[in-house]
Amino acid sequence: QVQLVESGGGSVQAGGSLRLSCAVSGYTVSRNCMGWFRQVPGKEREGVAAIQTGGGSTFYADSVRGRFTISQDNAKNTVYLQMDSLKPEDTTVYYCAARRGACTVVAGWWVAVSYNYWGQGTQVTVSS
């Protein structure tokens, strides 16, 4: 049984940092595509960042590029999202997701429905 469990969410002031973790069980993180998404109520789930865990290529939404960093620890089967310079508009629930195969722009790394497995989400709140 595949399980993705996010942790690390919380409340910070604008300009602060948080690091989200996604611990994966029942599924090998290496050589797959791992993504972080976020969803504001009433809107579609937005792709924030993704990593090709076999090759290490990373992808970011324009809204977070330069502020967020996605990384992996294959030994721990865990993917991280380091979030710096947080803004109030980053406030929402963040989800970890996994899918097999390529994690590229052509393959649509930001397309939520292309991911097979999802975590339960973790709340991030940024106050001004």
Side-chain angles (χ1 to χ4, degrees):
Q1 181 180 359
V2 178
Q3 283 192 317
L4 282 67
V5 180
E6 301 99 334
S7 61
S11 298
V12 296
Q13 290 190 327
S17 298
L18 285 172
R19 188 177 81 155
L20 306 183
S21 299
C22 175
V24 183
S25 60
Y27 184 87
T28 302
V29 167
S30 61
R31 298 185 180 181
N32 286 284
C33 180
M34 299 293 299
W36 284 97
F37 289 76
R38 62 189 182 186
Q39 187 168 24
V40 174
K43 293 189 176 182
E44 292 187 357
R45 197 162 288 191
E46 174 192 17
V48 174
I51 185 167
Q52 182 68 55
T53 54
S57 297
T58 57
F59 306 87
Y60 297 95
D62 289 343
S63 58
V64 306
R65 186 175 290 112
R67 300 188 297 122
F68 291 10
T69 304
I70 189 170
S71 62
Q72 64 188 75
D73 185 333
N74 288 339
K76 295 182 178 180
N77 223 35
T78 299
V79 176
Y80 304 96
L81 185 68
Q82 176 67 39
M83 305 187 296
D84 299 319
S85 302
L86 282 161
K87 303 176 181 180
E89 51 263 44
D90 295 319
T91 295
T92 189
V93 179
Y94 285 72
Y95 299 88
C96 174
R99 76 181 195 192
R100 304 189 189 281
C103 192
T104 65
V105 172
V106 173
W109 67 266
W110 65 89
V111 179
V113 295
S114 69
Y115 287 74
N116 308 106
Y117 307 104
W118 290 87
Q120 81 290 348
T122 185
Q123 176 70 43
V124 170
T125 303
V126 184
S127 58
S128 57

